[in-house]
Amino acid sequence: MGMNRYLYDGSADGLLSAIAWILAEESDPEQVALAARKDTLFEDGLFIGTDATLAESLFSRLRKQLPDVAHTLYFCMLAEKEGIETSLLHYIFLAFTHGDKINDYLTHAAVRDIVSISKKAARELHRMKGLLRFEKLRDGAYLAKMEPDHNIIHPLAYHFRTRLKAQHWFLYDVKRRTAARWSNGTLQFGTIEQFTTPALSDDEKQVQALWQTFFKTIAIPDRKNARLQKSNMPMKYWKYLTEKQGE
Amino acid sequence: MDTLAKLQILSGAARYDASCASSGSKREAPACGTGNTSQSGICHSWSDDGRCISLLKILLSNDCRYDCAYCVNRSSNAVERASFTAREVVDLTLDFYRRNYIEGLFLSSAVMQSPDVTMERMVRVVETLRLEEQFGGYIHLKIIPGCSSELVRKAGLYADRISVNIELPSQDSLRRLAPQKHKDSILEPMALIGREIHSSLVERKADRRAPRFAPAGQSTQMIIGASPETDFQILRLSQGLYKKMNLKRVYYSAYVPVIADNRLPVLAAPPLLREHRLYQADWLLRFYGFSAEEILSDDLPDLDETFDPKTAWALRHPEFFPVDINRADYPTLLRVPGIGVTSAKRIIAARRFSAITPEGMKKIGVVLKRAKYFIASAGRPFEKPDRTPALIRQQLLLGEGDGVAPPRQLLLSGLFA
Ligand code: SF4
């Protein structure tokens, strides 16, 4: 018996509604493959149309019944990774069979895939909570630029909404051209077509110099360990790190 | 002197303090203020020595009245002196926090005019941060031994963590190397803090609005290798501190010879490997259910240089092994060299779905390099059963090219597996 193949439109809603549809209609979802439609001539598979209500109801069902699974799914989506749909489908199917403890079933290939993708995204989010750097602008607002691997601007903005609630700030994902804005108690998300770097406040360079000094002095001179530093703080993040400018 | 020059002196003077933990406190951001703390702690950068930077770690002053033999800032040493004003520390903290450089402040100080004067100034800094600036970030405050209990109480109300350094592992050494510090002036505030933390927890159970007292707990630090105590003495001291004083962490700091003094040993290099082994043994005390007496004894007073303390224990106790990974309970799994908290939890979780095979161990991400000599599954050991401890010893040594190289890091957490 060959695997049944299905396609969806490539959107997050499309993915979730396709999974919901397959779980309802197929007797053995573990024998089913799912992929994003690429509109090539030779694609084979049955297209499942996107149904936002179906997607929404699957996600809210997961949140209520299987919070750990919903959490894993959420981070998995931030990874924007191609080709994981089949694993995700099998993972969610298994979750409904085994319950919320499914993340422990690491001997199963699909579970292992999904859990590790989701963990990577969660790890980068945690990392960025520390590595994001704000610069003070002339008008008193703060701006932080970043180029994370995962699309984490939403959860990151929620983190800073509570942490830096008294100041007006922007997050800007340079690669995805998306931005978050916090001002006067409202958080907004949007895209930026044309980004021009605004002028910095007069004391900004001074504060940066203080931080750079602290960064240099706090290291123990005879214990230099560049390898350890890089493994904890990979060089791909240095571009926007105040303390790593000019390196 | 401008703030930058002071920062250079006063962060340089704080750099040997190993404690950079910013975890264990959950403080909500004040309604109209800045900052909260994160339960798991956040690293904001890693310095050139590879250590995590999460707090603005500085001394309020390095202008010391005391003359501790092992310290650069001792009064008889000619170093450049500086002191921050309270405002300077407040501004630095806020400026850094708003740019997301740090989780908060770690403030310590040399003894200025007197312990009380110093502690009062330090408390003023945190009071300004908390009350005037509505700062909700993390604060770790050192207690200056000998200051009044009133100031200790105040410190605990504003700080997330407070600590009194025990400095040296015995009263004798303290008398010899830090003559102005007395055992009682260290242990009394420790006990007081322990009591206050306890009663605040009790009160908060009855009333959620009761004030918190150092919600991230109390820690301490001692210098290793400046005095003659054995590892056994040190571990028993730590064990007592965890059990009787309810400390969250004991930090060990390898003695770095900064100035010559005939009361101090001459060391070729700071005893980093020893420090590393003590952290590993400390880990066994806190998370692995070991007692100091199991790890060391009067006949075996110092930690093995070649093997980590858990492996050393396992090699002395062949009767305990092999451990069956499908049957053993959590505390037993934890005793297997190479299996840490994460691996033990994963094994227990995964075996609910099906019995774990050697292959399965790899799949769930357990590293077998070391563990394989000590475990069995379905009655069969992973490695040939006829291995004597001596052979295993050799095998373990061969398997680790870097087993004896001293680590180049001060603070290593999550050492196992
Ligand atoms: S009291 Fe502290 S700063 Fe002063 S000499 Fe002793 S250890 Fe150094």
Side-chain angles (χ1 to χ4, degrees), chain A residues 98 101-102 104-107 112 119 126 128-134 136 142 159-160 162-167 203-204 207-211 213-226 228-229 232-233 242-244, chain B residues 4 7-8 11-12 15-16 29-38 40-51 53 55-57 92 95-103 272 346 349-350 352-353 360 363-364 408-410:
Chain A
H98 291 279
K101 286 273 168 266
I102 192 65
D104 295 330
Y105 194 3
L106 291 175
T107 45
R112 195 166 64 246
K119 274 208 176 123
H126 183 76
M128 280 317 281
K129 285 179 185 174
L131 294 180
L132 199 76
R133 294 288 177 265
F134 287 93
K136 193 176 178 187
Y142 291 78
H159 168 75
F160 285 105
T162 38
R163 171 157 292 204
L164 301 179
K165 69 168 93 164
Q167 70 201 51
D203 63 344
E204 180 56 23
V207 176
Q208 292 189 4
L210 286 167
W211 172 240
T213 300
F214 176 78
F215 179 77
K216 282 254 136 27
T217 347
I218 202 67
I220 298 178
D222 13 306
R223 291 196 191 181
K224 288 253 154 79
N225 192 341
L228 185 60
Q229 184 186 42
N232 283 321
M233 187 166 73
T242 314
E243 61 273 32
K244 282 291 182 189
Chain B
L4 193 113
L7 182 62
Q8 204 150 16
S11 66
R15 71 164 75 105
Y16 293 102
C32 55
T34 287
N36 56 1
T37 62
S38 143
S40 56
I42 295 176
C43 283
H44 286 253
S45 192
W46 280 267
S47 53
D48 290 339
D49 53 16
R51 289 188 301 162
I53 301 179
L55 302 173
L56 169 61
K57 192 155 66 175
L92 271 175
D95 280 342
F96 283 10
Y97 195 90
R98 290 187 179 123
R99 287 160 180 80
N100 202 40
Y101 300 161
I102 52 167
E103 279 300 283
L272 291 185
R346 277 192 196 162
R352 277 203 300 264
F353 295 93
K363 278 194 191 148
I364 60 176
R408 312 214 347 118
Q409 193 188 4
L410 259 183

Side-chain angles (χ1 to χ4, degrees), chain B residues 64-68 70-75 109-111 167 181:
Chain B
C64 201
R65 281 292 144 103
Y66 287 9
D67 205 36
C68 308
Y70 47 83
C71 177
V72 242
N73 297 320
R74 61 191 262 189
S75 56
S109 183
V111 182
E167 305 281 9
K181 287 182 185 157

Side-chain angles (χ1 to χ4, degrees), chain B residues 281-301:
Chain B
D282 185 271
W283 212 260
L284 296 184
L285 292 182
R286 288 186 298 140
F287 301 119
Y288 289 75
F290 281 80
S291 69
E293 292 74 15
E294 280 181 292
I295 304 169
L296 293 170
S297 62
D298 287 325
D299 299 328
L300 187 75

